[in-house]
Amino acid sequence: MNDVPDANSVTLRSRKPLAPPFHRHIARGKLVGRTCRTGDRVVIYDIVATVPDEEVRVTGATQLQFE
């Protein structure tokens, strides 16, 4: 089985610039404990970068950066 590394940070960009800030909390809830990669979508956000730059597992310690 292939191990997926834990993410240090994930950068997300909103597809709706006027969306309310509580969507950030919803996005965090949907991401923690799951895997993602650049290009994936969650709620109203596109994942534009991950560290490391590959498929990663989002943990409670992962920093989410919103653009």
Side-chain angles (χ1 to χ4, degrees):
M1 186 169 170
N2 193 7
D3 286 328
V4 177
D6 290 345
N8 294 328
S9 70
V10 175
T11 304
L12 300 104
R13 181 175 296 139
S14 178
R15 289 183 279 142
K16 297 182 180 182
L18 299 177
F22 71 84
H23 282 115
R24 293 178 179 196
H25 177 72
I26 295 169
R28 175 175 281 284
K30 289 189 177 281
L31 282 172
V32 172
R34 299 197 176 146
T35 61
C36 67
R37 67 178 63 202
T38 301
D40 288 352
R41 290 185 175 177
V42 59
V43 189
I44 60 162
Y45 299 99
D46 291 324
I47 298 175
V48 295
T50 62
V51 176
D53 189 22
E54 57 186 292
E55 183 174 17
V56 294
R57 180 181 307 106
V58 180
T59 67
T62 300
Q63 292 184 356
L64 297 182
Q65 300 172 343
F66 295 90
E67 294 181 346

